[in-house]
Amino acid sequence: MTCRNLILILGDQLSANLASLKAGDPARDRILMAEVWDEATYVKHHKKKIAFIFSAMRHFAEELKAGGWPVDYVHLDEAANSQSLTGELSRAVARHHPERVIITEPGEWRVRQMLEAWADAPLDILEDDRFLCTHAEFSDWAAGRKQLRMEYFYREMRRKTGLLMDGDQPAGGKWNFDADNRKPASADLFMPRPAQVQPDQITEAVLALVGDRFADHFGDLEPFWFAVTARQAEAALDSFIADALASFGDFQDAMVRGEPFVYHSVLSAYINAGLLDPLAVCRRVEAEYRAGRVAINAAEGFIRQIIGWREYVRGIYWHTMPGYELKNALGATRALPRFYWTGDTDMTCLAEAIGQTRREAYAHHIQRLMVTGNFAMLAGIDPHQVHEWYLAVYADAYEWVELPNTVGMSQFADGGLLASKPYAAGGNYTNKMSDYCRSCRYDVKQRTGPDACPFNALYWDFLARNRETLKGNPRLGPVYRTWDRMDEAKRRETRESAAAFLAGLG
Ligand SMILES: Cc1cc2nc3c(=O)[nH]c(=O)nc-3n(C[C@H](O)[C@H](O)[C@H](O)COP(=O)(O)OP(=O)(O)OC[C@H]3O[C@@H](n4cnc5c(N)ncnc54)[C@H](O)[C@@H]3O)c2cc1C
Ligand code: SF4
C-alpha cells in the first residue's frame, strides 16, 4: 500500500502537537514507530526507563490509531525487526513507497547523524517546536559571548514567554529567588509521593518483555508506577501542584534519608518523552502564583528549571556537538567505581542516592550534582564513564539534556563553559543539606584518617591536584588561600589520606 509521506516518530516524541504530526494528514500519510534493540542498548539503560518508553510508545500508537492515523508499529520481538531505526525506515519505505519521509528533529546528535546518512528516500527534518529556543536563537544569543551563563539566557526566556513578568519587570521584583531555596529538610516534614499509576495490560506486556530481554540491565523493574499516557502525566502534574509545589522552593536543595522525591515534581521523564508540554506546565505553575496559592520563590524556582536550565542545556548541547562528549578539561582517568552499579558503599550519601536510582530510575538534582557527581569529580573519575552512567540510569536521560548537566555542570570537564566554578564540596555541604551524615559510619567532622568523611580530604586533594587548571578562577581564589595557609604537615596528611582512600577504590 502506498502513502504520500511516511512520518517517523521516535520514543521521546510522544506529543499530539508534534511538528511532523501537525504537518501530516491521516488520509494521505502513514506513521512509523519502532522498538529497536540498538536504541535500547547503546548504553545499557535502566530496566524501568526501557519499560517506560516502550509502554508510552505503545499507548501513543493506540491514541494515534484512534485519531484516524494509519500506524505501522514494530514490536521489539517481531521476527523481521532489523533492530535499528534506519533498518526499520528502509523496510517501511519498501512496504509503502512514500514520496518523502518526515521526522521532527531527533534530540540526539548521534540519531540525527544516522538519519541524515540514510538515503533510501528523501528526508525532511522539521524543527522541534516543543522547545522555546531554536538552535538559531541560541547561536545568536551565544555569538560573541565569552561566557554562556544560564542566568542571562533565562531572562531572555522570561521576556520571550512573558512568564512571571509584570510588564517588562520580573514578578516579585527580582529575576531569581534561588537564595531563598536552600533550606534543609527534616524527616518529620510531610513529603508527598508522586502520583502512581497501576500498570494496565499494555504495560504488563512490556514489563514481561523487558524482564525477559533486558534482565542484565541495571535497576529494579518493579514496582512500576510511571504514567505512560499524556492524561496520566497530567494527573501527576495536578498532584504535584496540589501537594508539593508550595514547598518546592524552600526545600529544593534538601536531601532526606528514605525520601527519594522530597518536594520535587518527578515530571522530567514525562516532559522529556513528550507526554507533558513544558510551556503548559510552566503556565500552570505561574497561575498558582498569580492566584496566591504558592510563593514567588516556589513558582520562580520551578519555572527557572524548565525555561532556564532545560532550554539552556539543550542550547549548549547543539552548540558544542560533536566533541562535547569527549571533553576532559581536568584530565580525569580513574575508572567508575563498581559501587555506582551496586550502591554497596559505607558512604551513606552515595548509598542513598545510588540505591534509590536503582529502585526508581530517579534521583533529584542535588543528589545527582552534589552526591554522585561531586564524588566522581573529586575522585577524578573519567567524565565519559560518568556521562555513560547518568545516561543509562535515569528514566529522564537523553543525551541532549544529560550530557551538559554531567560533563559541564557536574564534572567541570568543559573547563568552565557552562559553570563558573566546579561544584566541588566536602562533607560539610551534605551535612548541612541532609540527614545522611547522622547515620554514616564516617565522621563528617574529621578530615583525615580511616574514619574521616572521604569527601573532606578528597575536596582538598581535588583542588591541589588541579591547581594549574583552576588557579586562575577568581571564585576559587579564597579557597586556595585557605589551603596555602594550612601548615605543611596538615596539607601532606590530607593528601595522603585522599591517596589512601583512592587506592582502596580499586
Ligand atoms: C549530573 C546530572 C545529570 C542530569 N541528567 C539529567 C537527564 O538526563 N535528564 C533530565 O531531564 N535532567 C537531568 N538533570 C537535571 C535534573 O537533575 C533533573 O531534571 C531533575 O532532577 C528531574 O527531576 P524532577 O522532575 O523531580 O525535577 P524538579 O526538581 O521538579 O524540576 C522541574 C523540572 O525542571 C527541569 N530541570 C530541572 N533541572 C534541570 C536541569 N539542570 N537541566 C534540565 N532540566 C532541568 C526538569 O524538566 C524537571 O522536571 C541532571 C542533572 C545533573 C546534575
Ligand atoms: S559523612 Fe561524608 S560520606 Fe558519610 S554521608 Fe556524610 S558526606 Fe557522605
Side-chain angles (χ1 to χ4, degrees):
M1 213 208 316
T2 58
C3 65
R4 182 188 59 165
N5 295 321
L6 181 71
I7 301 174
L8 173 66
I9 296 186
L10 303 174
D12 59 352
Q13 299 185 335
L14 310 179
S15 313
N17 67 346
L18 195 69
S20 46
L21 287 174
K22 286 187 286 192
D25 175 358
R28 296 194 292 168
D29 302 331
R30 178 170 278 272
I31 286 168
L32 171 66
M33 296 177 73
E35 299 168 2
V36 294
W37 186 256
D38 282 5
E39 293 304 313
T41 58
Y42 78 97
V43 292
K44 284 185 126 189
H45 301 286
H46 194 299
K47 293 189 197 80
K48 270 201 168 90
K49 177 182 185 183
I50 300 175
F52 164 64
I53 295 175
F54 282 180
S55 177
M57 284 172 69
R58 290 184 186 191
H59 282 89
F60 191 63
E62 291 307 312
E63 287 166 15
L64 290 171
K65 284 184 205 162
W69 283 97
V71 180
D72 279 17
Y73 191 96
V74 184
H75 290 81
L76 188 82
D77 271 352
E78 273 173 42
N81 188 337
S82 63
Q83 304 299 353
S84 78
L85 284 174
T86 47
E88 285 317 287
L89 263 182
S90 297
R91 286 205 315 126
V93 165
R95 283 195 301 276
H96 302 296
H97 309 289
E99 289 165 25
R100 310 193 71 75
V101 170
I102 313 269
I103 177 161
T104 304
E105 58 175 327
E108 296 196 0
W109 190 84
R110 175 188 63 86
V111 178
R112 187 171 182 132
Q113 291 299 108
M114 188 168 74
L115 291 173
E116 282 177 348
W118 175 81
D120 286 10
L123 177 72
D124 292 342
I125 300 184
L126 308 184
E127 196 162 303
D128 191 345
D129 57 13
R130 297 173 302 167
F131 291 92
L132 296 174
C133 182
T134 66
H135 300 319
E137 280 171 333
F138 192 87
S139 297
D140 283 352
W141 175 79
R145 282 172 199 260
K146 267 210 203 110
Q147 295 183 317
L148 304 180
R149 293 290 166 256
M150 194 287 294
E151 183 60 28
Y152 299 107
F153 171 84
Y154 164 56
R155 293 179 192 181
E156 295 293 315
M157 292 300 109
R158 289 272 293 275
R159 290 192 187 96
K160 179 172 180 175
T161 57
L163 279 163
L164 294 179
M165 295 298 292
D166 293 333
D168 61 357
Q169 293 302 309
K174 277 198 297 186
W175 290 102
N176 184 319
F177 289 81
D178 205 24
D180 299 346
N181 290 2
R182 292 178 192 147
K183 295 193 179 65
S186 66
D188 53 357
L189 283 168
F190 169 73
M191 286 168 216
R193 294 280 149 153
Q196 308 213 338
V197 175
Q198 188 68 24
D200 62 7
Q201 258 184 344
I202 293 179
T203 301
E204 290 291 1
V206 168
L207 292 175
L209 172 81
V210 174
D212 182 37
R213 300 293 305 279
F214 301 96
D216 63 335
H217 282 219
F218 173 77
D220 298 351
L221 181 57
E222 296 187 65
F224 183 91
W225 51 262
F226 289 157
V228 288
T229 67
R231 184 174 296 187
Q232 292 166 358
E234 287 290 343
L237 171 64
D238 289 344
S239 94
F240 164 66
I241 286 178
D243 302 336
L245 174 61
S247 298
F248 172 87
D250 286 356
F251 301 111
Q252 199 177 342
D253 289 0
M255 297 176 281
V256 182
R257 205 163 178 215
E259 291 290 345
F261 311 110
V262 195
Y263 296 97
H264 290 269
S265 68
V266 198
L267 296 175
S268 50
Y270 309 149
I271 297 173
N272 294 349
L275 300 182
L276 287 176
D277 178 61
L279 186 56
V281 169
C282 291
R283 296 234 183 270
R284 286 278 312 274
V285 168
E286 179 182 28
E288 292 300 299
Y289 164 69
R290 296 287 181 197
R293 286 190 288 269
V294 302
I296 185 72
N297 69 312
E300 189 280 320
F302 184 85
I303 287 171
R304 173 163 25 93
Q305 306 311 312
I306 295 189
I307 68 168
W309 281 111
R310 185 171 184 273
E311 292 285 332
Y312 167 79
V313 296
R314 177 178 183 257
I316 293 276
Y317 178 77
W318 286 101
H319 192 65
T320 55
M321 285 297 283
Y324 200 73
E325 78 285 13
L326 298 174
K327 294 277 182 213
N328 191 355
L330 301 178
T333 54
R334 189 177 301 280
L336 189 76
R338 220 178 99 68
F339 67 72
Y340 271 73
W341 299 109
T342 61
D344 190 9
T345 164
D346 287 345
M347 291 176 277
T348 298
C349 51
L350 282 156
E352 280 284 313
I354 295 166
Q356 72 171 67
T357 298
R358 206 178 55 223
R359 286 189 300 278
E360 310 285 1
Y362 176 85
H364 68 69
H365 187 67
I366 292 301
Q367 294 176 304
R368 297 187 208 195
L369 184 63
M370 299 309 295
V371 179
T372 44
N374 181 29
F375 182 85
M377 182 175 65
L378 298 186
I381 313 289
D382 172 1
H384 195 73
Q385 292 190 29
V386 182
H387 147 59
E388 291 196 327
W389 183 79
Y390 280 102
L391 186 57
V393 302
Y394 291 113
D396 59 19
Y398 302 87
E399 195 179 82
W400 66 266
V401 53
E402 174 276 327
L403 188 67
N405 269 300
T406 303
V407 162
M409 193 188 307
S410 89
Q411 301 303 294
F412 206 71
D414 66 1
L417 178 76
L418 191 149
S420 58
K421 75 174 180 69
Y423 282 94
N428 194 33
Y429 176 88
T430 300
N431 194 31
K432 198 170 94 199
M433 295 313 301
S434 79
D435 60 359
Y436 294 159
C437 303
R438 275 183 242 155
S439 48
C440 186
R441 93 131 186 89
Y442 292 107
D443 181 352
V444 73
K445 301 284 179 212
Q446 287 187 43
R447 181 186 297 175
T448 55
D451 294 329
C453 166
F455 281 81
N456 292 338
L458 286 177
Y459 170 74
W460 290 111
D461 186 60
F462 165 80
L463 289 166
R465 197 172 69 229
N466 292 296
R467 187 166 194 146
E468 271 316 296
T469 316
L470 299 176
K471 68 180 180 199
N473 186 314
R475 297 191 63 193
L476 293 177
V479 192
Y480 277 116
R481 281 194 287 281
T482 304
W483 173 245
D484 291 341
R485 277 199 300 271
M486 271 180 224
D487 70 60
E488 174 66 30
K490 207 166 166 189
R491 276 186 283 167
R492 193 173 340 107
E493 198 191 339
T494 302
R495 295 210 64 186
E496 282 169 4
S497 196
F501 176 82
L502 290 173
L505 273 184

